[in-house]
Structure formats: C-alpha cells, structure tokens
Amino acid sequence: MKKKSYELLRSYLFITLGSIIYSLAFCWFFAPNQVAMGGLTGLGQVINSVIPILPVGFSVFAMNIPLFFLGWKYIGGHLLVSSLYAMAVTSFGIDLIDATYTFSPMDPMLATVCGGVVMGIGLGIVFAEGATTGGTDIVARLLKLKFPWLPLGKLVIVPDLIVITLAAIAFGNINSALYGLVALFIYSKLMDTVLYGMDTSKVAYIISDQNKSIAAAIMDLDRGATFLHGEGAFTGQEKKVLLVAFKQKEIVQIKRIVNDIDPTAFLIVCDAHDVLGEGFHAYQKDEI
C-alpha cells in the first residue's frame, strides 16, 4: 500500500512539474510573441484576442469539459482524474503567470524554437505519467486507440494543424501560423523524445569463431545472449550469430569484451526501443 501511495504521489508530482513547464512556455514564449498555438490553448488565444475579458486559461478549462467525458468513456477513469488535474494546473498556471508577470517580446523565431523545446518537454513529462493537458491532447490519445503504431507526437500534429490554421485566420497574420507550425514540429519531436527516446537500449549482432567465450563474458555482466543460426553467403559455411540486448551505458564494456576475446569479430550495434523482458521493461497494457 505504501509503495502504491508513493508511486501515485510521484506521478502527480511529475504531472505538476510538466504542467508548470507547459504554462511557462506558453506565457514566456508564445503569448507575448503572437506565435499561434495548437490545441484548445490556441483556441483560447483566439477567443482572448476577440474577447479580452475572457482569460486564456478559463476558456481552455470550459472547452475541455466535453472532451474529458469522451476520454473517460473510451480511455478510462485514470486519464480523467489525472488529466483534469493537469488541465487545472496548466489553466491556473497560465492565468496566474499572466496576472503576476508580463514577459517582454523577443525575436519570434527564437521564441518559436525555445518555446517548442520547453513545451515539448513539459508535454512529454505529462504524457509519460498517463495524463494529458486536455484539449487536442485527449483527441491524440483517442486517435492512439485507433492507430496504436503511430507515435503520440505525430498524432498531436493532426488536430493542432487545424487549430493553428484557425488562429492564423483570427490573427490575420500568416507569420504567426508559420511560426506556430515550426513550434508544433519542435514540440511534437521533443515530446516523442521524452516519451520514447529515453529508452536508450542497444542490440548487438556478433559474428565470431569465439562466440561461446564472448557469450559467457557477456552473461557475466548479467545480460542474456541468444545464438542465431546463420550461413556465410560466399563460403556457405554455417555460423552462429550472437544476439545481445543491453543498455547504452554498457556499450563500452560490450565492445571491450568482443575485442579482447576476438579482435577479428564482426560486430554490429543498433538502436533498440521498447525492449521488453527481464532486465528491461515490463509490458504495460495502457502504455502510450
């Protein structure tokens, strides 16, 4: 019970951190430089430009309510609760920052790049904890149910492109939309990096006449090894190919072992993501 409570507290602390980063990115880089935002935050910008009395955060909160019912129905209660919390923190954060401090405009391209990076990190942290900031993020999670093989960052792009187009029409400024597209590309990439790129695993294929000795040395590192059966295309000679999955930090040790045992060995190292099994990750049904 204590472990479960600790994990829940840790999850909400990270959701809070990601939501605050998101709010800061919007108030610091996007709003003062008229960089068009995607999602309901972008629609909130449009409403605020037309009706200044309505704060962006409040508008976003109101528009999110029907989307959260859809999320609850198709994704589950955890998403509803955690996402309501994330949305409340981001909405309140945006309005609080806006009311207490006004950021000065800067070079639009600098704001676009920096804002995209910071926002992507914030969104990635929130999504990694199984929550969303609401709006088109929920739409992306719903699309993920239909297209589970697509990275979440790419799915976010689809509804956000529509909103950015509407924002450009409302602002009457094509530059705002173009900057928004650049920011959208950057934060979708950063989001995928936070979600999927932190898994810095590698897989190695090793062809050597000393494969048993190499396998024994690698297993001493507490890593498993598997023999694949191969055949030389030119000689027709049967060979065993050693397959090893390992963490990025172990790559130097793996190379050293192979070189010390057989300097003539053929070694191929490739990037590997979503490695499941002993020593790596366990399968999660609701993993994004």
Side-chain angles (χ1 to χ4, degrees):
M1 181 65 71
K2 286 184 178 180
K3 185 178 179 181
K4 188 174 182 180
S5 299
Y6 169 78
E7 290 177 352
L8 188 64
L9 176 62
R10 173 193 167 280
S11 177
Y12 274 84
L13 285 174
F14 273 102
I15 291 173
T16 304
L17 174 63
S19 300
I20 292 172
I21 292 173
Y22 178 96
S23 302
L24 184 62
F26 174 79
C27 294
W28 190 356
F29 300 108
F30 287 82
N33 298 285
Q34 286 196 320
V35 177
M37 273 284 297
L40 293 191
T41 307
L43 285 178
Q45 277 183 296
V46 174
I47 293 172
N48 179 254
S49 67
V50 177
I51 312 173
I53 196 174
L54 288 178
V56 174
F58 174 81
S59 299
V60 171
F61 190 90
M63 290 186 290
N64 264 301
I65 294 174
L67 284 175
F68 272 104
F69 280 109
L70 285 175
W72 183 26
K73 181 178 180 180
Y74 292 105
I75 303 175
H78 170 69
L79 178 126
L80 177 70
V81 176
S82 59
S83 297
L84 270 172
Y85 176 76
M87 184 195 66
V89 174
T90 53
S91 299
F92 177 75
I94 287 172
D95 288 347
L96 179 63
I97 293 172
D98 187 55
T100 56
Y101 188 84
T102 301
F103 289 95
S104 301
M106 62 177 73
D107 178 77
M109 183 52 72
L110 182 62
T112 298
V113 174
C114 293
V117 170
V118 176
M119 185 165 286
I121 293 172
L123 284 171
I125 293 172
V126 172
F127 273 86
E129 297 302 323
T132 77
T133 56
T136 53
D137 296 346
I138 292 182
V139 176
R141 285 293 299 269
L142 292 170
L143 289 173
K144 183 75 173 175
L145 298 176
K146 186 71 175 177
F147 308 103
W149 61 89
L150 287 176
L152 209 55
K154 288 184 172 60
L155 291 172
V156 168
I157 288 177
V158 178
D160 280 0
L161 279 173
I162 299 172
V163 175
I164 286 176
T165 302
L166 292 175
I169 295 172
F171 292 149
N173 186 351
I174 189 64
N175 288 341
S176 294
L178 294 176
Y179 287 133
L181 290 175
V182 174
L184 173 60
F185 175 80
I186 293 172
Y187 71 68
S188 65
K189 288 292 183 183
L190 260 293
M191 186 196 308
D192 283 342
T193 299
V194 173
L195 285 172
Y196 311 114
M198 303 301 285
D199 180 11
T200 54
S201 300
K202 299 284 184 180
V203 62
Y205 299 91
I206 306 166
I207 303 173
S208 168
D209 293 331
Q210 306 294 324
N211 49 59
K212 289 187 177 180
S213 299
I214 294 173
I218 287 174
M219 286 189 287
D220 286 340
L221 298 177
D222 201 26
R223 284 295 170 207
T226 302
F227 286 117
L228 306 177
H229 294 283
E231 180 181 328
F234 180 72
T235 63
Q237 182 181 357
E238 288 190 5
K239 289 184 177 291
K240 288 185 177 180
V241 180
L242 190 62
L243 172 68
V244 183
F246 55 94
K247 296 291 187 179
Q248 170 70 38
K249 62 184 180 182
E250 297 167 325
I251 189 169
V252 174
Q253 291 173 286
I254 298 290
K255 288 182 176 180
R256 184 181 294 124
I257 287 171
V258 173
N259 184 72
D260 288 346
I261 296 175
D262 184 5
T264 63
F266 194 71
L267 171 65
I268 303 173
V269 179
C270 308
D271 290 329
H273 300 286
D274 293 329
V275 182
L276 307 180
E278 186 177 352
F280 293 92
H281 299 296
Y283 171 71
Q284 301 291 333
K285 182 180 178 181
D286 298 324
E287 190 172 41
I288 56 177

